[in-house]
Amino acid sequence: MGNGMIRFFLVLLLFLSSAEYIFSLYEDQVGLMDWHQRYVGKVKHAVFHTQKTGRKRVAVSTEENVVALLDLRHGEIIWRHVLGANDAVDAVDIALGKYVITLSSEGSILRAWSLPDGQMVWGSFLQGSNLSKSLLSLPVNLKANKGNVILVFSKGCLHAVSSIDGEVLWEKDLSAESIEVQQIIRPLGSDMIYAVGFVGSSQFDAYQINAKNGELVKHKSADFPDGFYGDLLLVSSDILVSLDATRTSLVTIDFQKGEIIFKKTHVSDIVDESFGTAVLLPSELSGMFAVRFNTLLVFIKVTIEGKLEVVDKITNAAAVSDALSFSEGQQAFALVEHVDRKILLTMKLVHDWNSDLLKESIAMDLQRGMVQKVFINTYIRTDRSQGFRALIVMEDHSLLLLQQGEIVWSREEGLASVIDVTTSELPVEKKGILVVKVEQSLFEWLKGHVLKLKGTLMLAGPEDIAAIQGMRLKSSEKSKMTRDHNGFWKLLIVLTKAGKLYALHTGDGRVVWSLLLPSLRESGSCKRPTGLSVYQWQVPHHHAMDENPSVLVVGRCRPNWDAPVALSFVDTYTGKELKSMGLIHSCAQVIPLPFTDSTEQRLHLLIDAEKHAHLYPRTSEAIGILQHEFSNIYWYSVEADNGIIRGHVLTSNCIGMVDEYCFTSRELWSIVFPSESEKIIATATRKLNEVVHTQAKAIADQDVMYKYISKNLLFVATSAPKASGEFGMAQPEESCLVVYLIDTVTGRILHRMTHHGSQGPVHAVLSENWVVYHYFNLRAHRYEMSVMEIYDQSWVDNKDVWKLVVGKHNLTSPISLYSRPAVVTKSQSYFFTHSVKAIAVTSTAKGITSKQLLIGTIGDQVLALDKRYLDPRRSLDPTQAEKEEGIIPLTDSLPIIPQSYVTHALNVEGLRGIVTLPAKLESTTLVFAYGVDIFFTRIAPSRTYDSLTEDFSYALLLLTIVALIAAIFVTWIMSERKELQEKWT
Amino acid sequence: MRSQPVILVLLVHLCISSLSSSLAISPGEGYTVNGRVKIRSMGAQGLVLPGKLSNIKVVLNGGQRVTLLRPDGYFSFDNVPAGTHLIEVDAIGYFFSPVRVDVSARNPGKVQATLTENRRGLSELVLEPLREEQYYEIREPFSLMSVVKSPMGLMMGFMLVVMFLMPKLMENMDPEEMRRAQEEMRSQGVPSLASLLPGGAARS
């Protein structure tokens, strides 16, 4: 009987531990381990909606293709829509006071969104064939029989669209006239519309069109022999300004009179110290315009006679808003200047330059850079005077609202465009915590657990529940700036498109520090710098404990890959740039080497366009280390356009250069894919820092398989050129997906497999000895995911112990490049419902915990899928032994369990990437997903088997102990009594 | 009373119609795919929040184009080239099957749509919702069973068993058997788990 009892307990325990595990969360656990930040991106255009009643709001369109409505009080997002990747918003406006109108996709889609809730009211597709400038104009009182008319010029066509239902009222095709329309002008109160633009480079044309029906009334044309440069700017209702082809003269164009009159004014005639070429600022300031000469900003007024007069010159870096009309037909605009560490906001009347409506000086964080855009709005103050608020967009993409001389709110919109992510540990905690503090926290701790116990026993009232929830969310542990025992709190070092580096705390997602990298800012030598990637440069642990960790930021001066590189080294504790290098050589590839020097700085090789390798850090010690490992350094390069993969090896120092840190390389091997049938569409390698716990894998029948584990494994997917484009264009017969596993040292193709009737896009992830990839099956017209596992066969013979004893094993046999590695691959494919945007795999500290795939779906959610579902050994009817091993019976499609979405009910809009980081606790992985939003959580792929969970009830434990002690006493007394009784009898 | 689940009907009314010839477009430029996501709520309380509808996105060909729904649930993709396409509906809280749509150049106006999840053709172009998605575990109300099943409960249970049942077992045991077991233990040296409970095999 006792035996049975024990067996029962064992079975019960087994049952409890082997329950089918999926990542799951209770609703009240939201925000405990995860945080989610919503962004819109860098604002391109903003339109205020501030009626006397109701909430004050602003509609914005951004460079991340987002249309959003923000609350002006606190800057929160009221609603937001992330449009498709190639649906960039060209213009945004507000119509009828209740619709937000957007023109997107190069002027082909016009949409109206309901202002309060963001519901799309209508959407119109505008026809047209030519590519042209897209212009949106909402004339104030141009009425048709159905509401106001929206004028859109796009694709060579002028459309008049009803604002009620988006119906096209009329359209006028101007594409046949080969005119490049620059402006659509409607003088106030007139029924005429003027479309003005250039034909070729030196002819100016104006079309007069009836606004009621789109009929062409008049067409005027005139030649300007000097030619035009750039855009046309409307100064007043009948005068336009442009630059001539040499950019040294300003041209005013009067087009509404009988003849088109050009008036050319040489810049040097009006501006004395003119140097360099002029740039017209696109700000619309009625009767005036602004020209920039290098650093000088000049305001020029156009008099009634058409003469140009310089009004003011601004030498500070400045930004100008459009003119805004307010009470009594007055017009004002904002000028924002940088003066020292402050910005100076000046509101000026257009017609009276000398009187400033407003002059405010606001302290500004230097890390925000320059002001790039200004949008202004008026309001009535409580004392009935006119007030102004300004929305400014900074160089780091952040959005700020200025009002009454202070920053009302700011949004770190730079985080909407994350390029690369790395991590840094937090500082180690200093010793010596006060005892009083401990006692107090002990009391708090106990109180908290009593509350929690009440919660679990369903005794808590509503206020208790609120207290519990608040306590859990506001746990002070989460924002601690020191290293924790479990390794949950780290700094995420995030590089954004604006060239700004942010350090985010993983506990609560706050920005610890931010740095606008000077090396990635626009300068004379670096016109369009872009950040590329971030690497861990120095991770002190053994030798250099006292040094702060640092990261290496690699950027380029121009987007082309042969542009000179810019390097920055940043301390991750202080957020200060340690040093930077503007470099002469280019950078095609960065290779972090697995060696560090005595100060724990990691050696990096930067490969330039000429295939020279440049070593960093530039110290003699680093050279010594490299010389020692010189013959062991191999790398590969993928030329996707040419369909070639090459392997390289270092040869010697650069010849003819006095740079001892430069090395030449030699091509070792190359794989050329036939360009007519295969085009490289995806590659994947193992993560450099991945840890594999064991090479052996015990399988059901007491057998062992050896994983083929190599750091040099490369997965390549190629597709037929015809099927590498858009969907629906290729027939299943003519598309074919080929996948390869390549050893990047020898260039040997370890495995090749063909998926007929399939096409990209391919998203792949390679980890340990397996690769999982997602592609589209044209025959079934469904997405598929395949797994490919590679096993080493050379070990199989060594399992015989006797061979080992006698010495007949091949463990010591030399490994040669010429011998074909004995590998065997297994593969299996499954259907998967969704399109995939990104795919990643969990990584843990020691690599013991089983893996989960993190799949970013088309709905911007992140799904955690157990790797067990992608096991090539799955079969329809697994044997008992296989079942015990944990093999799931084969199904044709992968399950999507809603509870296993790590993003639960949230979505990471515009998802672009998923990064996983190991925590110190073996069971746990940290997950960071980024896109327009950023999201962070921590997951345990096979439960937190090595620590107590968050909702572990300590109180219940105490209760149990108390009960057990009580029981001991009771039984002790009982036995005493019994003994006594026995003695009596 | 719990409200009945909201039944979501996706009426993909795909009228693939060629553009009227009056529009000057070059042949083969594209067709318009019109569809509808109709949300019909059943039951007394089953109201679908308006905000929910406004965030439903319809995605063509894995993100090539994205559109949103109009208030009546209609959506359209313009300028779609002839060929086979995939339409996905992205709605938080609902699981939609992707739809395969054939836009035919030869036979404009003909509807060809198939749910890819269950390979069901859409002759009437009405798509039943596959399911609602519940992202959170439901917290089970407090029950004695859950306490018993927790590690603490097991510990307590085991202790109770040992305390109250073991003495009973010992009492009922044969003294001779006891001796035999003790000898066995001595001879084996290392006691195995089964032999720790003497007579288990014989009795159970």
Side-chain angles (χ1 to χ4, degrees), chain A residues 318-477:
Chain A
V320 185
S321 74
D322 283 349
L324 173 84
S325 44
F326 61 104
S327 60
E328 298 136 30
Q330 281 182 304
Q331 288 194 308
F333 70 93
L335 172 69
V336 182
E337 292 171 75
H338 284 269
V339 183
D340 298 329
R341 286 165 171 263
K342 289 185 168 181
I343 59 165
L344 193 65
L345 171 71
T346 322
M347 294 295 306
K348 284 193 181 290
L349 275 174
V350 168
H351 301 287
D352 186 7
W353 184 265
N354 294 323
S355 67
D356 294 337
L357 284 171
L358 188 80
K359 201 161 189 156
E360 286 166 352
S361 174
I362 299 153
M364 183 61 68
D365 183 4
L366 279 181
Q367 301 307 333
R368 294 199 187 277
M370 299 294 168
V371 176
Q372 292 198 331
K373 282 197 175 105
V374 189
F375 304 98
I376 50 166
N377 179 236
T378 61
Y379 65 95
I380 308 290
R381 292 211 190 104
T382 40
D383 59 351
R384 295 195 167 271
S385 65
Q386 197 76 37
F388 292 92
R389 53 170 86 90
L391 197 64
I392 57 173
V393 181
M394 305 296 289
E395 193 180 343
D396 70 341
H397 298 184
S398 59
L399 185 70
L400 291 89
L401 184 77
L402 309 180
Q403 196 172 328
Q404 292 180 331
E406 49 188 302
I407 300 168
V408 183
W409 50 259
S410 64
R411 295 182 59 87
E412 291 288 350
E413 294 300 341
L415 288 169
S417 55
V418 174
I419 295 173
D420 199 11
V421 186
T422 189
T423 49
S424 165
E425 294 290 341
L426 286 161
V428 183
E429 195 164 8
K430 298 277 183 295
K431 295 277 179 299
I433 305 166
L434 291 170
V435 183
V436 184
K437 213 173 162 188
V438 174
E439 271 174 4
Q440 195 191 358
S441 62
L442 189 74
F443 179 68
E444 290 283 310
W445 183 84
L446 258 178
K447 211 170 93 181
H449 280 292
V450 168
L451 261 177
K452 258 189 207 170
L453 181 72
K454 270 170 104 179
T456 41
L457 297 176
M458 297 276 162
L459 298 169
E463 61 261 37
D464 281 348
I465 289 170
I468 295 169
Q469 193 68 3
M471 202 170 57
R472 294 162 93 183
L473 291 176
K474 272 203 306 272
S475 154
S476 61
E477 286 278 298

Side-chain angles (χ1 to χ4, degrees), chain A residues 39 43-44 166 196 206 339 361 373 405 443 491 495 523 604 618 661 668 678 840 898:
Chain A
Y39 292 105
V43 170
K44 278 204 280 198
V196 295
V339 183
S361 174
K373 282 197 175 105
F443 179 68
L491 288 176
L495 177 66
S523 63
H604 285 71
R618 294 167 97 84
Y661 305 101
L668 204 61
E678 291 184 35

Side-chain angles (χ1 to χ4, degrees), chain A residues 1-2 5-6 9 12 16 24-28 30 81-82 84 86 111 113 119-121 125 127 456-458 726-728 776 781-783 831 833-835 858-859 861 896 898-899 901 904-905 907 909 952 957 960 964 978, chain B residues 25 54-55 57 59 61-64 66 68-71 78-79 82-86 88 90 92 95 98 100 116-117 119 131 133-139 141-142 149 152 154 156 158-159 163 165 171 193 197 200 203-204:
Chain A
M1 187 180 163
M5 190 69 88
I6 285 206
F9 273 116
L12 191 72
L16 286 170
S24 56
L25 209 64
Y26 297 104
E27 196 157 2
D28 52 27
V30 171
H81 293 296
V82 182
N86 35 23
R111 292 190 181 102
W113 314 92
Q119 169 71 51
M120 188 171 91
V121 185
F125 181 74
Q127 294 291 332
T456 41
L457 297 176
M458 297 276 162
E726 293 189 345
F727 263 56
F776 192 67
H781 217 79
R782 293 177 80 170
Y783 285 100
F831 287 125
T833 309
H834 299 298
S835 298
I858 191 74
Q861 291 169 290
I896 290 172
Q899 286 92 336
Y901 279 107
H904 42 95
N907 53 8
E909 286 282 2
F952 178 81
L957 176 69
T960 314
L964 285 175
K978 205 174 175 189
Chain B
I25 55 153
S54 77
N55 281 324
K57 280 185 197 162
V59 182
N61 291 348
Q64 206 181 76
V66 179
L68 288 105
L69 301 180
R70 267 170 260 163
D78 293 284
N79 226 352
T84 311
H85 302 276
L86 191 75
E88 286 169 273
D90 154 29
I92 283 275
F95 180 82
R100 170 196 171 134
T116 62
E117 277 295 283
R119 298 190 185 84
R131 58 172 189 259
E133 287 193 327
Q134 183 64 50
Y135 299 111
Y136 302 108
E137 293 280 298
I138 310 290
R139 223 181 241 295
F142 174 77
K149 264 162 75 180
M152 246 57 70
L154 286 177
M156 258 211 254
F158 190 75
M159 287 308 260
M163 267 177 357
L165 290 181
E171 270 171 31
L193 200 70
L197 284 171
R203 266 157 210 271
S204 64

Side-chain angles (χ1 to χ4, degrees), chain A residues 12-78:
Chain A
L12 191 72
L13 273 170
L14 219 99
F15 163 75
L16 286 170
S17 60
S18 70
E20 179 72 7
Y21 178 66
I22 46 165
F23 173 87
S24 56
L25 209 64
Y26 297 104
E27 196 157 2
D28 52 27
Q29 289 178 322
V30 171
L32 280 183
M33 294 181 290
D34 57 347
W35 46 263
H36 179 230
Q37 294 175 5
R38 289 161 30 106
Y39 292 105
V40 293
K42 186 188 183 185
V43 170
K44 278 204 280 198
H45 201 78
V47 187
F48 290 89
H49 183 257
T50 47
Q51 283 169 334
K52 284 184 190 71
T53 54
R55 289 162 91 183
K56 308 275 184 277
R57 294 165 288 194
V58 60
V60 295
S61 73
T62 73
E63 294 191 349
E64 303 295 324
N65 302 352
V66 175
V67 188
L69 191 72
L70 306 179
D71 186 358
L72 270 182
R73 195 175 293 275
H74 302 293
E76 306 126 348
I77 298 169
I78 299 171

